[in-house]
Amino acid sequence: MKRTEAEKKIHKLVSELNHHNYLYYVKNDPDISDYDFDQLLKELESLENEFPELILPISPTQKVGKDITKEFTQTKHLYPMLSLDNTYSEEEIVEFDNRVQKILERKVDYVCELKFDGISISITYVDGVFTKAVTRGDGVIGDDVTANVKTIRSLPLKLMGTNHPHNLEIRGEIYYPHAGFEKLNDEKLKKGEKPFANPRNAASGTVKTQDSSIVAKRPLALFSYYLMSSEKKLNSQSENLELLKSWGLPVSDSSCLCKDIKEIMDFIHLWDQKRSMLPFDIDGIVLKVNNVEDQEELGFTSKYPRWAISYKFKAERKSTELVSIQYQVGRTGAITPVANLMPVFLAGTTVKRASLHNADVINELDLHAHDHVFIEKGGEIIPKIVGVDKSKREENSAKIEFTKICPECKSNLIRKEGEAAYYCPNEKECPPQIKGRIEHFISKKALNINSLGEGKIDLLFNNNLVKTPADLYKLKYEDLIGLEKKVDSGKKVSLKEKSVNNILKGVEDSKTISFAKVLFGLGIRFVGETVAKKLVKHFKTIDNIITAQYEDIITVDEIGEKIANSLIQWCSDKENILLIDNLRPYVQFEDTTEQEKESNSPINQKTFVISGTFDLSRDLIKQKIEENGGKISSSISKKTDYLVAGEKIGPSKLKKAEDLKTKIISLEALKEIIKFD
């Protein structure tokens, strides 16, 4: 066959086979036999073998998986993948609806969807062609698993239709169907391998498998449920689901447009009863405000969208015997009691331990030695004790009293006023606290020294090489090579050259980590990721933070008395200042990001509320304001400097701005103040 004829034939076969794949895996309505499909596929493979230069990236033969991935590249999401606020309470669903109506000043429609129990994924199409897939990760940065996700049969490598934007991001959930999961575990057991605990673990483990040819042999499936694009006007979630379907993406048919709380509750109750009949796992229902402009109006908190919430079904409950309680010491000195249990199979895994949180929980449960307790999994993940079967309590069994001394350093515990936890006050010498602070410092959200971990920190600490985070930067090759540690089998293993070099490289790479992450890594109480970013943006340098007065700190957006007092107390400790001084030669203690641009901006440190509809996306408007040093708020208050008013702005919001004499400007007026190009 001539090359030109082969090229036409290849294009025709790819188009036909992709169409049949869509009918089989997405529509579940094939119109040819498996034999006929296989014959077409063999014909295509034969032509591609003869003319390899003509292989199309959207060819179904590219789903077989050929890539070996030694390490998954971390990739930043174009749009952050925020988690959803969860509830197990129908009353909180009503409260959520009331909040939405209060902000928008009217009733709204909701789209109710099944909450699939799998692994969240972000998928990018460019000009309709699949180009990238990234796991959720921490919501900002995830792992690039493109080669593996590409093998999923129901995922189109080329979108149907022609009306899709140049750059399109799809959010979805990868899951493992029940039938495939059972077959997979049967095969593992026959090979003497440990089976997966549940379908979610199987999906997660498969997506992170290093050999994509193995992934291609497993029946992973996908549901898409959200789309984002700065180029296309998006109207409503219900329309967007239909749009995803029209492009050939797999979308669950089990969604519903609900007009009021009754319809929402009916949908929740229906699927709570029917979920066991599904061929895949769900663990709840997701509610989304339907109108996209309303979603933009409602906005986000630092963790969740305000326009969506998930209702989690009640967890499975089992009874088992309490064997003993041990006490763990955290990096802050907080003592956490942990129950050791007779093993019991619960929601897909064998549970042997459960957190009891604090002394108050033990007292409220009225725990006695060897009680029979009821176990659930919070979010169907974390085991917890929710009650005691007192009918099975042994006579004269002793009531459990919370320990009075630290299990590690034997210091007398203290309980801070207004707090539930007991603390070990020996923060300078108690080993778990010292190691915990170092582990926090190297964690992914802080300095991200992923070549170290709990086991290696133990090793370094026990060999007197590391007592503070600053000691990490003094480590040398000769300090580490050959260091021995015990593994679970009791054998000793030593650090080899590759591990040592990885540790040293990880420490060296951390020197460029941003000031905000370094500040978070210091482990100051109540200074989480978001607070650290706000402090860095306001004060710019560590020295400004150290010398800041209480009055200065509480002027920072969303920083209150508790955080201010904790920060001042931490900075007044001489050993903490010594730690900073020891870290100065190595890490970033100054923020220069956008500093010059912000300081010269007419809206620097000004607070904006954006309300109404605009020709531009609300996200872009927010981005431009923040790039120029402005701050975004969701509600109008005395601290609001500007209300950017669009069409269909709520009358009460407009009146409140007028009453507070807030400056009301249009988008065009904002463009005259700051540049949008």
Side-chain angles (χ1 to χ4, degrees):
M1 184 180 289
K2 293 181 180 178
R3 189 181 186 281
T4 53
E5 293 175 350
E7 187 170 11
K8 288 180 181 178
K9 187 63 175 176
I10 285 173
H11 276 269
K12 184 174 184 294
L13 286 168
V14 166
S15 178
E16 284 183 25
L17 286 163
N18 282 339
H19 175 69
H20 291 307
N21 262 334
Y22 168 73
L23 293 177
Y24 186 92
Y25 291 104
V26 179
K27 300 296 287 183
N28 197 26
D29 185 24
D31 64 356
I32 63 171
S33 67
D34 290 349
Y35 174 82
D36 289 337
F37 181 91
D38 290 341
Q39 292 304 112
L40 290 173
L41 187 61
K42 286 178 181 177
E43 185 179 358
L44 175 62
E45 288 172 341
S46 176
L47 285 170
E48 288 180 341
N49 288 333
E50 187 176 350
F51 301 95
E53 72 279 9
L54 298 181
I55 296 175
L56 299 173
I58 61 171
S59 170
T61 61
Q62 301 307 295
K63 284 183 171 282
V64 297
K66 301 173 183 176
D67 299 309
I68 303 294
T69 305
K70 292 185 178 179
E71 188 173 331
F72 293 100
T73 304
Q74 293 206 313
T75 303
K76 187 172 182 179
H77 294 293
L78 182 61
Y79 305 97
M81 287 187 76
L82 298 180
S83 56
L84 291 178
D85 196 7
N86 290 329
T87 180
Y88 292 85
S89 163
E90 292 185 6
E91 288 76 15
E92 289 184 6
I93 294 293
V94 175
E95 291 172 8
F96 169 75
D97 178 49
N98 289 337
R99 284 197 303 273
V100 168
Q101 290 189 47
K102 185 176 179 181
I103 294 171
L104 297 176
E105 301 170 356
R106 55 187 164 76
K107 289 186 175 183
V108 299
D109 296 339
Y110 295 95
V111 172
C112 290
E113 304 169 27
L114 304 184
K115 186 176 184 298
F116 311 110
D117 194 13
I119 174 173
S120 297
I121 199 76
S122 175
I123 299 169
T124 301
Y125 285 87
V126 176
D127 292 330
V129 176
F130 169 80
T131 58
K132 186 168 62 176
V134 181
T135 62
R136 182 181 179 276
D138 63 3
V140 177
I141 295 174
D143 291 324
D144 188 327
V145 288
T146 302
N148 288 344
V149 172
K150 187 178 186 179
T151 68
I152 297 175
R153 298 295 179 180
S154 58
L155 178 73
L157 298 182
K158 187 178 190 310
L159 297 178
M160 294 165 55
T162 57
N163 62 336
H164 29 74
H166 165 66
N167 198 299
L168 174 68
E169 193 165 329
I170 305 293
R171 295 285 159 81
E173 192 90 355
I174 295 172
Y175 65 94
Y176 220 111
H178 290 161
F181 172 70
E182 291 168 8
K183 184 179 178 182
L184 173 67
N185 270 355
D186 285 344
E187 290 171 353
K188 280 184 161 290
L189 288 169
K190 287 175 183 176
K191 294 177 183 177
E193 298 175 0
K194 184 179 178 181
F196 283 110
N198 51 52
R200 179 179 57 235
N201 288 0
S204 178
T206 300
V207 166
K208 296 299 290 289
T209 298
Q210 293 180 325
D211 186 346
S212 65
S213 65
I214 294 175
V215 182
K217 295 173 184 175
R218 293 184 180 174
L220 286 179
L222 168 82
F223 280 126
S224 56
Y225 51 72
Y226 202 70
L227 67 95
M228 286 159 293
S229 173
S230 60
E231 306 161 39
K232 188 173 184 63
K233 177 68 173 174
L234 306 175
N235 297 312
S236 69
Q237 174 64 5
S238 56
E239 289 179 17
N240 291 344
L241 290 175
E242 292 302 318
L243 193 56
L244 291 172
K245 286 183 185 178
S246 73
W247 289 336
L249 286 152
V251 176
S252 170
D253 291 326
S254 303
S255 63
C256 180
L257 182 62
C258 297
K259 304 287 185 182
D260 53 35
I261 283 293
K262 182 183 181 303
E263 291 186 2
I264 291 171
M265 294 307 174
D266 287 346
F267 187 84
I268 287 173
H269 298 154
L270 171 69
W271 285 105
D272 196 6
Q273 295 297 318
K274 289 179 62 177
R275 58 176 165 146
S276 61
M277 300 164 60
L278 289 167
F280 50 83
D281 283 346
I282 65 170
D283 59 357
I285 299 297
V286 176
L287 283 72
K288 297 173 185 170
V289 171
N290 187 36
N291 187 281
V292 172
E293 289 179 352
D294 288 344
Q295 292 179 7
E296 293 176 347
E297 175 88 10
L298 291 161
F300 301 83
T301 68
S302 60
K303 294 182 179 179
Y304 312 116
R306 289 193 179 92
W307 45 265
I309 191 170
S310 72
Y311 174 85
K312 303 293 284 290
F313 294 132
K314 295 291 187 293
E316 181 185 355
R317 177 180 290 194
K318 289 283 183 73
S319 174
T320 189
E321 184 183 347
L322 173 67
V323 176
S324 63
I325 292 180
Q326 68 184 85
Y327 297 89
Q328 297 179 340
V329 187
R331 68 176 176 86
T332 64
I335 308 298
T336 302
V338 177
N340 294 311
L341 307 165
M342 287 295 291
V344 59
F345 192 77
L346 175 67
T349 62
T350 299
V351 175
K352 299 177 183 178
R353 290 156 59 85
S355 172
L356 284 163
H357 302 291
N358 54 54
D360 289 347
V361 171
I362 291 176
N363 287 332
E364 287 167 9
L365 289 167
D366 186 30
L367 274 180
H368 285 55
H370 302 291
D371 268 346
H372 280 76
V373 295
F374 296 111
I375 309 294
E376 289 182 0
K377 284 188 178 180
E380 300 195 5
I381 298 173
I382 309 299
K384 61 180 180 179
I385 295 175
V386 295
V388 176
D389 187 351
K390 293 183 180 179
S391 68
K392 295 183 179 179
R393 178 171 288 168
E394 298 175 0
E395 278 190 50
N396 303 319
S397 64
K399 182 178 171 63
I400 291 173
E401 301 290 342
F402 200 87
T403 183
K404 297 295 189 293
I405 62 170
C406 174
E408 296 287 340
C409 69
K410 309 307 177 187
S411 299
N412 291 324
L413 302 182
I414 61 171
R415 193 172 192 177
K416 299 177 182 179
E417 186 177 349
E419 295 194 23
Y422 279 89
Y423 288 85
C424 170
N426 187 21
E427 60 182 68
K428 307 299 181 187
E429 297 176 4
C430 185
Q433 294 189 61
I434 297 170
K435 290 186 284 186
R437 287 192 291 272
I438 298 170
E439 288 161 12
H440 177 74
F441 185 82
I442 67 170
S443 65
K444 189 172 184 178
K445 294 181 180 180
L447 278 290
N448 193 27
I449 308 177
N450 57 18
S451 51
L452 286 169
E454 185 178 338
K456 290 191 177 75
I457 292 299
D458 272 341
L459 181 64
L460 298 178
F461 180 84
N462 294 337
N463 282 275
N464 296 313
L465 289 171
V466 172
K467 297 295 181 186
T468 76
D471 294 332
L472 295 169
Y473 297 92
K474 300 172 186 175
L475 293 172
K476 299 183 180 65
Y477 180 89
E478 51 269 27
D479 296 329
L480 302 175
I481 193 71
L483 278 182
E484 288 188 334
K485 63 175 180 178
K486 281 187 178 180
V487 293
D488 292 341
S489 63
K491 293 182 179 179
K492 287 185 177 181
V493 296
S494 59
L495 286 184
K496 300 292 193 290
E497 183 175 5
K498 183 178 179 181
S499 293
V500 171
N501 287 333
N502 285 340
I503 290 170
L504 295 175
K505 182 179 184 302
V507 171
E508 185 65 28
D509 290 346
S510 74
K511 294 178 180 180
T512 61
I513 293 292
S514 70
F515 177 25
K517 287 180 177 285
V518 174
L519 183 61
F520 169 67
L522 293 176
I524 304 169
R525 200 156 185 234
F526 306 128
V527 178
E529 286 181 276
T530 301
V531 170
K533 289 176 183 176
K534 290 180 182 294
L535 289 170
V536 165
K537 186 173 182 180
H538 183 87
F539 289 108
K540 301 300 181 187
T541 70
I542 191 66
D543 292 313
N544 289 342
I545 291 175
I546 292 170
T547 58
Q549 300 298 307
Y550 175 85
E551 292 76 14
D552 299 326
I553 298 171
I554 60 172
T555 62
V556 180
D557 185 36
E558 296 182 23
I559 304 296
E561 176 183 349
K562 185 169 68 172
I563 297 171
N565 286 331
S566 175
L567 188 61
I568 289 169
Q569 183 181 356
W570 194 91
C571 291
S572 64
D573 188 308
K574 290 181 180 178
E575 289 198 30
N576 292 334
I577 300 303
L578 178 62
L579 171 63
I580 287 174
D581 288 340
N582 289 337
L583 283 169
R584 283 182 192 273
Y586 310 110
V587 301
Q588 303 292 318
F589 276 132
E590 183 175 358
D591 178 55
T592 56
T593 308
E594 297 289 334
Q595 191 169 356
E596 184 177 344
K597 182 177 180 180
E598 290 181 8
S599 62
N600 295 328
S601 169
I603 66 166
N604 190 35
Q605 298 302 312
K606 301 294 184 184
T607 300
F608 287 76
V609 170
I610 305 168
S611 185
T613 60
F614 304 89
D615 292 335
L616 294 178
S617 75
R618 196 182 295 260
D619 286 339
L620 178 60
I621 299 170
K622 289 179 181 178
Q623 177 187 328
K624 293 300 179 183
I625 290 171
E626 289 175 339
E627 284 178 356
N628 285 271
K631 297 177 286 185
I632 304 296
S633 177
S634 60
S635 58
I636 295 171
S637 68
K638 291 179 181 179
K639 294 182 179 180
T640 307
D641 296 293
Y642 292 95
L643 169 63
V644 183
E647 294 180 12
K648 300 179 184 177
I649 185 171
S652 66
K653 193 165 281 187
L654 198 58
K655 185 177 185 304
K656 189 172 183 180
E658 290 169 348
D659 291 344
L660 293 172
K661 297 182 179 176
T662 302
K663 291 181 182 176
I664 303 171
I665 62 172
S666 66
L667 177 58
E668 294 307 313
L670 179 63
K671 288 180 178 180
E672 292 178 7
I673 300 173
I674 57 175
K675 291 184 178 179
F676 266 64
D677 51 351

